[in-house]
Amino acid sequence: MAGFTREHQDDAHRLPLDDHAHAREALTQLHQTAQDCQAKVITSERPYFGDIAHALAEGLPGQWDVSIEHYPDGSFPTQLLDWVWEANPVLSKVAEYRTPGAAILRDGGGTELLLVERPWDGRHLIGSLLPSPDHVNIVGEAAPRTVVATTALEAVADVRSRLLPEFEQLVHLARLREVQEDLDWVRDVEPGTVGDVELDGALDRFLTHAPYLLAATRRTDAKPLAVSESAVLMRFEILLARVQTDTGTRGGPEPSAMDEALALWLEAGEDLLDVVRTATVSPAEGPSRPAGTAAALPMPPAAVAAGHTR
């Protein structure tokens, strides 16, 4: 009775063992049904895979939804494998073996974790899936390291202490990079050559990323800031509050608020990025700003077309 449970969308079929009489009756019926269907029931001390997935979700910060996927033919879906984001191909090798299923954990904020059982030794593999390009563009070779754990308790500890912090920091760096690329592009193109659609798209991406960048500087583990640096953050916090208020009350920001956002972004966007890097990025994670830009910068990939979601 080990391995993957066959689950409905809401819950799994679980047999509570604290009521011995009920458990004995249920197992007797299961044995008889298996005989009638010419099936074999095999018991094992290994826990149900679905229980491991739910134990992992319950041990992580926040609220996580668990989705159990079954692969009757044992083939790991290649379309899911394409979304695996890892520093080493630990999870990717699972597709070379028969894999009965997997679990996807979602926190509702864009973080998705993939849980599978390693076929050759039964250890649990937990890795992150790529963030949707609608949230942020991931570029470069850095990626979170996949967790390999023997028990659910060990998996929870490693995901909390290593995988999630690595994921959050790499997404943070990607946000910084995307805002920097858009800012460089807008400031370096010839006047009058930037279309309204492209410019609005770059500004929208900045307004999407800015709350996360500002929040990162206010975390308890961020480095303390000078008075002048705090003043830069405050200017953008006031701006974002106005834009969000307009969006909530009128269904969209007033043109004057967007004009103000564009003006402040172009005027002090570089200062903001420097402050965020100072507070949140260690020297080993990259330079304070790009070493240089070309004379004629191409439009950033994020500005060419919208992303897609899984």
Side-chain angles (χ1 to χ4, degrees):
M1 297 175 66
F4 289 80
T5 56
R6 182 173 298 277
E7 302 193 13
H8 296 300
Q9 290 183 350
D10 295 328
D11 200 1
H13 294 292
R14 292 188 175 89
L15 176 63
L17 299 180
D18 51 351
D19 185 340
H20 292 184
H22 177 69
R24 186 179 297 108
E25 179 184 358
L27 290 173
T28 300
Q29 293 177 356
L30 174 63
H31 178 72
Q32 184 60 52
T33 302
Q35 281 189 325
D36 295 342
C37 296
Q38 297 182 336
K40 181 182 292 186
V41 177
I42 301 175
T43 61
S44 171
E45 295 181 355
R46 293 170 58 189
Y48 289 113
F49 179 81
D51 291 341
I52 296 295
H54 284 91
L56 176 60
E58 292 169 2
L60 299 180
Q63 299 293 323
W64 294 77
D65 291 328
V66 178
S67 174
I68 305 294
E69 299 193 350
H70 297 276
Y71 313 134
D73 61 354
S75 299
F76 195 86
T78 56
Q79 67 270 22
L80 180 57
L81 194 61
D82 291 340
W83 284 99
V84 172
W85 186 25
E86 60 180 353
N88 299 306
V90 178
L91 274 166
S92 304
K93 291 186 177 297
V94 173
E96 301 173 9
Y97 299 83
R98 178 177 176 80
T99 305
I104 298 178
L105 286 71
R106 301 178 175 89
D107 73 344
T111 305
E112 298 181 340
L113 303 180
L114 176 66
L115 167 67
V116 299
E117 188 178 271
R118 194 156 65 181
W120 56 91
D121 63 3
R123 300 186 75 184
H124 314 306
L125 304 179
I126 307 98
S128 58
L129 298 182
L130 283 164
S132 167
D134 284 348
H135 292 89
V136 64
N137 267 336
I138 299 297
V139 295
E141 299 179 359
R145 293 169 292 170
T146 297
V147 166
V148 182
T150 303
T151 66
L153 188 62
E154 180 184 345
V156 168
D158 287 348
V159 171
R160 289 183 67 114
S161 65
R162 178 167 58 81
L163 179 58
L164 288 181
E166 286 184 5
F167 178 92
E168 292 169 359
Q169 183 66 356
L170 288 168
V171 170
H172 175 68
L173 293 174
R175 292 185 190 279
L176 278 169
R177 186 165 47 241
E178 190 167 322
V179 172
Q180 182 73 67
E181 289 174 351
D182 276 337
L183 184 60
D184 288 343
W185 170 71
V186 171
R187 295 176 66 176
D188 288 6
V189 293
E190 292 292 331
T193 61
V194 180
D196 290 341
V197 174
E198 291 83 2
L199 184 58
D200 289 345
L203 180 59
D204 285 342
R205 280 188 296 276
F206 167 71
L207 293 175
T208 298
H209 294 321
Y212 295 96
L213 299 180
L214 291 170
T217 65
R218 303 300 191 188
R219 291 197 311 242
T220 56
D221 59 343
K223 300 171 187 175
L225 299 175
V227 174
S228 59
E229 293 171 328
S230 296
V232 172
L233 297 184
M234 189 172 298
R235 291 184 67 188
F236 281 94
E237 287 172 340
I238 293 172
L239 170 69
L240 290 177
R242 179 183 174 188
V243 171
Q244 291 169 358
T245 299
D246 283 348
T247 301
T249 58
R250 301 178 178 85
E254 289 286 341
S256 59
M258 296 303 289
D259 290 342
E260 181 183 349
L262 178 61
L264 182 58
W265 179 41
L266 295 178
E267 172 200 344
E270 198 71 61
D271 295 334
L272 173 65
L273 293 176
D274 284 345
V275 171
V276 174
R277 291 189 183 100
T278 298
T280 63
V281 180
S282 67
E285 290 176 308
S288 59
R289 65 174 67 190
T293 56
L297 288 177
M299 187 182 301
V304 176
H308 61 285
T309 55
R310 273 187 295 285

